[in-house]
């Protein structure tokens, strides 16, 4: 089939990401003797500068990796936790029904730095100065402004000038949004990273000592002090329409550290797919595979009406379980992935589109759903008691566009803004990472640091007794979901995508395109994409659209007509509008890579 660019093939190394500058930076590390872990860290920090509307230093990162030395897949959890003062009573006492989608109240401990540093220390070989050098360069000298960065900043310029002047000082050079084709620098962020390097090198002459010193500076030193000062002693308007201060303190930062965990896995047709634990939505991918294992997708025909219908209906069931069971809690994953459980769930997939949210009862447990907003709640819904202004959400990867450019809501609320990077080196090490959060429109810029805090706490529920209820010191049920797959027990594929709730629909679609469609990596990325909005959003104001199925309009018209006949409310999107996947693979003697053409900025490089 036609592809927008070739599937890359070689034997030295491959990097694929959502921005060519990050891919190039990662490849330069491989060329200079670094391994996949060094390259991924360098690329991750470049993404903070090259895609500041999609991630930032104040965000988070989950990572899946294969170490040839360890001969296993590991999960690095760079997802921070809720502050000690973040209780349900505090938020409801402010008149809030949901955590705001922007501002200081939505902040968790910024985990990205700790996650990247943990991987670099344990599996990498490069120094802090070397992996940060590309990001410092781009922060000092500027990155090319793409249409999407310009449009995002323009859409929140009024918010910045009216309510968040520290953000205006950073992102409105000369008082206006930077025009496409110009350069955008962040000298304050460059200075922050230069100071980190200087303090680390002053503390130790040994690489590991420097990395430990850098973590200490971030979570207990000058970075933590600036974050705590800004969070607890300033107040800003957020998406509730009101002015609120933050809850994040120095003790919250000092008490947190990134961790290494084992993945949750499921075996599907000779492939072992690996995901994070259910503190993220990752296992919902595995639940879909467990359900699909009882269907004959090959007999249905790739992207036929039967195929798309079955995949969509299975996603509805899996995501209903996400709503009832997932969180930073005791989640019955073994039951959720068992054949006995899935055999019963599989029988719920009928010939027509289902319009209900139907969680299951793993091990006989009774499911409990949150008090959900009314079906159909979307961008015009308040979602907050007494809000003075309409609360809008818009997702760059699925939102309607203005002049062909995806835009952000006027109050800065977004969902799905994320980046992704995959790396494989000649030694066989592989990385899949999905950095996100702390994007420029999420919260006012901290003037001493050049970045803002994230808003991942909006994924907690302000309702007691749920796995994803807000509790101090726990992780929000994040949507960030890198993917990894073994084939016949050997590392094969690292892949992922931005897209919020859609990540674990687009990623399974890509995987199924390779396994059942027989497509290569680039063909599978380029293939027509689809997803459902049937279940509640993880993002403020938590709306849902039962029965709605988004499809790229390249999908066969006959298939679209049949899906509508079966009761799906099909909404056709632009031909290249859904998904931003990238992937790298080990395939026999070759290393391979591919990246997404949608958005005109993702690239794979390698040789």
């Amino acid at each position: 089939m036609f592809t927008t660019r070739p599937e890359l093939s070689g034997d030295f190394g491959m990097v694929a990401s959502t921005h060519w500058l990050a891919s190039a930076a990662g490849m330069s590390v491989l060329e200079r003797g670094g391994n996949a872990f060094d390259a991924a860290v360098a690329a991750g920090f470049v993404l903070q500068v090259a895609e500041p509307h999609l991630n930032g230093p104040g965000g988070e990162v989950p990572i899946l990796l294969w170490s040839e030395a360890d001969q296993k897949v590991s999960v690095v959890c760079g997802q921070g936790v809720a502050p000690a003062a973040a209780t349900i009573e505090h938020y409801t006492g402010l008149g809030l029904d949901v955590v705001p989608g922007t501002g200081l109240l939505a902040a968790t401990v910024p985990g990205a730095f700790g996650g990247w540093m943990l991987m670099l220390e344990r599996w990498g070989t490069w120094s802090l100065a070397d992996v940060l050098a590309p990001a410092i360069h781009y922060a000092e000298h500027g990155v090319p402004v793409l249409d999407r960065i310009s449009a995002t900043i323009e859409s929140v310029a009024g918010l910045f000038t009216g309510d968040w002047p520290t953000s205006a000082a950073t992102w409105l050079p000369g008082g206006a949004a930077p025009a496409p084709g110009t350069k955008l620098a962040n000298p304050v962020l460059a200075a922050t990273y230069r100071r980190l390097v200087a303090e680390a090198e002053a503390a130790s002459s040994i690489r590991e000592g420097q990395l430990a010193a850098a973590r200490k500076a971030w979570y207990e030193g000058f970075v933590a002090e600036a974050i705590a000062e800004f969070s607890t002693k300033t107040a800003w308007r957020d998406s509730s329409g009101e002015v609120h201060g933050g809850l994040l303190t120095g003790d919250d930062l000092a008490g947190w550290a990134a961790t290494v965990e084992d993945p949750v896995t499921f075996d599907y047709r000779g492939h072992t797919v690996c995901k994070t634990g259910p503190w993220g939505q990752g296992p919902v991918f595995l639940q879909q595979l467990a359900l699909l294992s009882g269907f004959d997708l090959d007999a249905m025909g790739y992207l036929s009406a039967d195929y798309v219908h079955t995949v969509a209906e299975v996603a509805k069931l899996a995501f209903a379980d996400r709503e009832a069971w997932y969180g930073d809690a005791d989640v019955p994953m073994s039951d959720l992935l068992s054949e006995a459980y899935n055999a019963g769930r599989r029988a719920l997939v009928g010939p027509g589109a289902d319009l209900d949210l139907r969680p299951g009862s793993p091990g006989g447990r009774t499911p409990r759903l949150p008090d959900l907003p009314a079906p159909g709640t979307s961008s015009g819904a308040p979602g907050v008691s007494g809000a003075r202004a309409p609360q809008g959400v818009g997702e760059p990867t699925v939102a309607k566009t203005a002049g062909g450019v995806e835009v952000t809501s006027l109050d800065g609320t977004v969902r799905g803004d994320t980046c992704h990077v995959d790396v494989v080196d000649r030694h066989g090490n592989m990385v899949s990472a999905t950095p996100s959060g702390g994007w420029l429109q999420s919260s006012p810029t901290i003037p001493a640091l050049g970045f803002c805090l994230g808003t991942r706490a909006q994924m907690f529920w302000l309702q007691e007794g749920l796995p994803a209820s807000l509790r101090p010191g726990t992780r929000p049920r994040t949507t960030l979901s890198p993917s990894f797959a073994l084939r016949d027990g050997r590392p094969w594929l690292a892949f992922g995508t931005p897209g919020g709730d859609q990540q674990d629909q687009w990623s399974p679609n890509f995987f199924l395109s390779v396994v059942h469609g027989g497509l290569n990596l680039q063909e599978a990325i380029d293939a027509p994409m689809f997803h459902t909005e049937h279940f509640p959003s993880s993002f403020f104001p938590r709306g849902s659209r039962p029965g709605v199925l988004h499809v790229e309009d390249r999908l066969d018209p006959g298939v679209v007509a049949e899906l509508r006949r079966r009761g799906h409310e099909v909404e056709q999107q632009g031909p290249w509008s859904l998904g931003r996947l990238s992937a790298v693979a080990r395939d026999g003697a070759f290393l391979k890579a591919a990246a997404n053409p949608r958005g005109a900025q993702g690239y794979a490089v390698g040789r």
Side-chain angles (χ1 to χ4, degrees):
M1 64 175 279
F2 166 80
T3 59
T4 55
R5 66 273 294 262
E7 178 190 63
L8 304 186
S9 183
D11 60 10
F12 180 80
M14 297 282 166
V15 184
S17 82
T18 48
H19 197 289
W20 72 84
L21 290 179
S23 297
M27 192 66 199
S28 75
V29 172
L30 297 181
E31 294 283 6
R32 289 179 287 155
N35 63 20
F37 312 113
D38 303 318
V41 174
F45 281 104
V46 168
L47 285 171
Q48 296 173 1
V49 182
E51 295 191 297
H53 59 313
L54 304 177
N55 80 138
E60 46 274 325
V61 61
I63 306 168
L64 272 73
L65 62 90
W66 171 274
S67 162
E68 274 293 293
D70 296 345
Q71 288 290 294
K72 62 179 289 190
V73 177
S74 296
V75 175
V76 175
C77 177
Q79 173 60 63
V81 299
T87 63
I88 290 175
E89 292 75 19
H90 181 86
Y91 288 80
T92 56
L94 296 173
L96 300 174
D97 298 322
V98 295
V99 178
T102 63
L104 298 179
L105 279 178
T108 57
V109 173
F113 188 81
W116 289 126
M117 290 299 102
L118 177 56
M119 182 171 72
L120 182 64
E121 180 180 27
R122 185 168 299 189
W123 291 284
T125 64
W126 275 32
S127 70
L128 177 71
D130 287 339
V131 296
L132 281 179
I136 292 173
H137 169 85
Y138 287 121
E140 283 187 333
H141 300 284
V143 295
V145 176
L146 302 178
D147 290 348
R148 284 161 181 78
I149 296 177
S150 179
T152 297
I153 297 175
E154 178 62 37
S155 67
V156 291
L159 171 69
F160 286 1
T161 56
D163 293 308
W164 296 359
T166 61
S167 295
T170 304
W171 303 108
L172 298 174
T182 62
K183 273 190 172 184
L184 179 63
N186 188 343
V188 178
L189 177 60
T192 296
Y193 281 144
R194 283 200 180 282
R195 182 174 173 183
L196 273 173
V197 171
E199 291 197 5
E201 291 180 340
S204 176
S205 60
I206 301 170
R207 189 184 81 96
E208 289 74 17
Q210 292 175 0
L211 297 177
R215 278 198 303 271
K216 187 175 180 66
W218 190 277
Y219 291 103
E220 299 178 52
F222 79 95
V223 175
E225 291 167 1
I227 290 173
E229 176 88 4
F230 193 80
S231 172
T232 60
K233 296 186 179 180
T234 69
W236 308 83
R237 192 173 308 281
D238 57 37
S239 58
S240 72
E242 304 297 333
V243 174
H244 294 117
L247 302 175
L248 196 62
T249 69
D251 287 342
D252 293 318
L253 283 112
W256 180 86
T259 55
V260 177
E261 305 173 1
D262 290 330
V264 180
T265 65
F266 185 80
D267 292 334
Y268 183 84
R269 298 191 176 226
H271 307 85
T272 301
V273 179
C274 308
K275 301 292 290 187
T276 71
W279 49 266
Q281 73 173 8
V284 80
F285 186 146
L286 309 181
Q287 284 198 248
Q288 291 170 80
L289 294 181
L291 289 162
L292 289 170
S293 64
F295 294 97
D296 192 346
L297 293 183
D298 293 326
M300 294 178 189
Y302 176 64
L303 291 186
S304 67
D306 282 342
Y307 179 102
V308 175
H309 168 79
T310 301
V311 171
E313 291 302 297
V314 158
K316 293 177 184 179
L317 293 172
F319 276 91
D321 277 345
R322 182 194 74 167
E323 291 307 305
W325 300 110
Y326 286 23
D328 194 2
D330 184 15
V331 178
M333 264 339 298
S334 59
D335 287 327
L336 288 167
L337 293 175
S338 70
E339 176 53 28
Y341 176 73
N342 283 283
R345 297 284 281 164
R346 208 174 286 132
L348 298 175
V349 178
D354 188 79
L355 301 180
D356 296 320
L357 191 66
R358 301 182 290 177
S361 301
R365 301 168 182 85
T366 301
R368 184 185 175 198
L369 289 171
D371 295 332
L372 303 170
T377 300
S378 59
S379 59
V384 176
S385 296
R388 297 190 318 217
Q391 309 304 313
V393 295
E395 181 172 354
T397 43
V398 298
K400 288 179 169 49
T401 61
V405 176
E406 297 137 348
V407 297
T408 298
S409 302
L410 298 180
D411 63 3
T413 49
V414 294
R415 50 184 179 143
D417 289 56
T418 303
C419 304
H420 188 79
V421 60
D422 303 298
V423 186
V424 59
D425 64 27
R426 65 189 185 278
H427 311 295
N429 301 305
M430 297 179 74
V431 178
S432 175
T434 309
S436 184
W439 42 74
L440 65 87
Q441 66 273 22
S442 66
S443 190
T445 298
I446 302 171
L449 300 175
F451 65 83
C452 60
L453 294 172
T455 56
R456 200 60 57 176
Q458 67 182 291
M459 296 180 175
F460 287 114
W461 288 99
L462 298 183
Q463 181 180 344
E464 297 284 359
L466 302 169
S469 296
L470 175 63
R471 300 185 305 280
T474 61
R475 293 169 287 190
R477 190 205 67 202
T478 178
T479 55
L480 304 178
S481 196
S483 300
F484 203 98
L486 310 176
R487 186 164 61 189
D488 299 322
R490 296 295 300 160
W492 169 50
L493 185 63
F495 59 107
T497 179
D501 295 299
Q502 282 70 52
Q503 289 182 36
D504 282 302
Q505 295 190 72
W506 294 335
S507 289
N509 287 350
F510 163 80
F511 176 79
L512 295 171
S513 295
V514 176
V515 173
H516 289 286
L519 306 184
N520 69 31
L521 301 186
Q522 192 63 52
E523 289 171 336
I525 288 173
D526 285 358
M529 193 60 71
F530 61 92
H531 71 267
T532 178
E533 282 193 311
H534 179 81
F535 48 85
S537 170
S538 297
F539 296 84
F540 175 94
R542 314 305 290 265
S544 63
R545 303 181 69 203
V548 170
L549 182 66
H550 292 269
V551 303
E552 288 185 331
D553 61 16
R554 293 180 291 132
L555 190 64
D556 182 88
V559 170
V560 173
E562 174 60 17
L563 291 169
R564 285 177 170 148
R565 189 194 69 77
R566 296 186 186 200
H568 296 278
E569 187 177 334
V570 179
E571 294 189 0
Q572 290 181 282
Q573 305 296 325
W576 299 95
S577 58
L578 304 182
R580 289 177 65 204
L581 281 143
S582 64
V584 299
R586 291 172 62 178
D587 189 3
F590 289 101
L591 307 179
K592 295 185 176 181
N596 175 56
R598 300 165 182 87
Q601 64 191 68
Y603 265 90
V605 294
R607 68 174 178 88

